[in-house]
């Protein structure tokens, strides 16, 4: 009989199990009621099965989010792993929804599930994309906003993976600052 | 060790049907 090698039937395990969440803005419901867990996966093959099955970000209506977080971390500031953390934030122009949004989100997902941030990958909690008519946002969330070394390492690798030129600066903001801001912008704690 | 995968490796599986 033909012998089938294990690499032909064993799926490729990821370092972490991940959960994909979907948020749809319904003003008649609470924020938490608008947040739904879509599915969890922990292999490369199951990631693609899910990714290929769902809508691209650019097809979502304004007010929707996708969040990908490590299993056990909820995609909200209040979670124990997020409450002292912050995010590397990319703000996209309206034009970039057509040209860049889906590409950047997929690259963000691949960075996370592939553990692209080396020994600092443990600091990455997840990522969020906000689809908004005024401008879409993509962010990588990390667990501790005081962990400068990990945060700047993650930021540099992320910027490199997105192919952003050196003159483009991205900023990291703590969730506390974002939650308590008074104007429309939050001050950057770090930049790369 | 850590299970790390680079983007090309991951992208290589996008259109491979789920195994047997």
């Amino acid at each position: 009989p033909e012998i089938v090698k294990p690499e032909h039937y064993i799926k490729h395990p990821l370092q972490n199990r991940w959960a994909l969440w979907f948020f749809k803005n319904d003003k008649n419901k609470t924020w938490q009621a608008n947040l739904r867990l879509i599915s969890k996966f922990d292999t490369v093959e199951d990631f693609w099965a899910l990714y290929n099955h769902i809508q691209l970000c650019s097809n979502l209506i304004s007010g929707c989010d996708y969040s990908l977080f490590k299993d056990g971390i909820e995609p909200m500031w209040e979670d124990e792993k997020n409450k002292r953390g912050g995010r590397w934030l990319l703000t996209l122009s309206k034009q970039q929804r057509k040209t860049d949004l889906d590409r950047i989100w997929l690259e963000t997902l691949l960075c996370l599930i592939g553990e692209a941030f080396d020994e600092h990958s443990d600091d990455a909690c997840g990522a969020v994309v906000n689809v908004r008519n005024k401008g879409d946002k993509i962010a990588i969330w990390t667990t501790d906003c005081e962990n400068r070394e990990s945060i700047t390492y993650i930021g540099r690798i992320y910027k490199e993976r997105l192919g952003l030129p050196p003159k483009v600066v991205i900023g990291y903001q703590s969730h506390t600052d974002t939650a308590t801001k008074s104007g429309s912008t939050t001050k950057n704690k770090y930049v790369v | 060790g850590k299970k790390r995968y680079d983007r090309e490796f991951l992208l290589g599986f996008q259109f491979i049907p789920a195994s047997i």
Side-chain angles (χ1 to χ4, degrees):
Chain A
E2 187 183 349
I3 295 183
V4 182
K5 294 177 182 171
E7 59 263 34
H8 293 143
Y9 60 84
I10 296 176
K11 293 193 263 193
H12 294 75
L14 300 171
Q15 177 68 32
N16 284 287
R17 173 174 284 120
W18 297 87
L20 185 71
W21 301 75
F22 180 65
F23 179 91
K24 189 175 180 183
N25 191 22
D26 177 346
K27 292 192 173 76
N28 298 316
K29 293 184 186 169
T30 63
W31 187 89
Q32 292 222 10
N34 286 329
L35 181 68
R36 291 290 165 89
L37 174 67
I38 301 178
S39 186
K40 296 181 183 184
F41 58 87
D42 60 6
T43 67
V44 177
E45 287 82 351
D46 290 345
F47 163 71
W48 286 118
L50 177 58
Y51 179 84
N52 291 336
H53 182 72
I54 60 174
Q55 287 292 336
L56 291 170
C57 301
S58 58
N59 290 335
L60 298 178
I61 58 167
S62 182
C64 290
D65 304 335
Y66 281 133
S67 302
L68 184 79
F69 276 76
K70 286 174 181 166
D71 188 20
I73 307 179
E74 296 199 309
M76 54 187 77
W77 296 333
E78 296 86 348
D79 189 281
E80 190 60 32
K81 293 278 188 181
N82 292 325
K83 66 183 187 185
R84 285 172 294 275
R87 59 177 180 170
W88 281 112
L89 178 63
L90 301 171
T91 306
L92 278 61
S93 66
K94 287 183 186 183
Q95 294 75 22
Q96 284 180 291
R97 180 172 298 173
K98 273 189 176 176
T99 56
D100 296 317
L101 178 67
D102 295 327
R103 177 183 66 79
I104 293 176
W105 177 241
L106 177 57
E107 197 64 38
T108 305
L109 298 177
L110 298 183
C111 283
L112 289 174
I113 68 170
E115 308 285 328
F117 309 119
D118 302 304
E119 69 270 30
H120 299 294
S121 287
D122 289 345
D123 265 51
C125 296
V128 181
V129 55
N130 309 118
V131 178
R132 302 290 184 272
N133 285 338
K134 61 187 177 185
D136 305 320
K137 292 178 184 176
I138 293 178
I140 288 188
W141 288 29
T142 77
T143 193
D144 181 357
C145 70
E146 300 303 331
N147 201 346
R148 174 187 290 270
E149 189 191 347
S150 280
I151 291 166
T152 50
Y153 190 91
I154 289 169
R156 283 194 200 105
I157 297 279
Y158 188 39
K159 198 174 154 180
E160 192 182 299
R161 285 282 297 257
L162 298 179
L164 298 177
K167 66 174 180 183
V168 173
V169 171
I170 60 172
Y172 181 96
Q173 300 147 8
S174 76
H175 296 318
T176 310
D177 286 347
T178 304
T180 57
K181 70 182 175 184
S182 49
S184 62
T185 52
T186 307
K187 70 175 192 291
N188 289 326
K189 198 170 168 73
Y190 311 102
V191 293
V192 292
Chain B
K2 270 210 162 112
K3 294 176 191 74
R4 298 191 57 228
Y5 300 115
D6 64 25
R7 70 186 303 279
E8 284 70 28
F9 182 87
L10 293 169
L11 285 167
F13 286 88
Q14 182 169 13
F15 300 112
I16 294 177
S19 50
I20 54 175

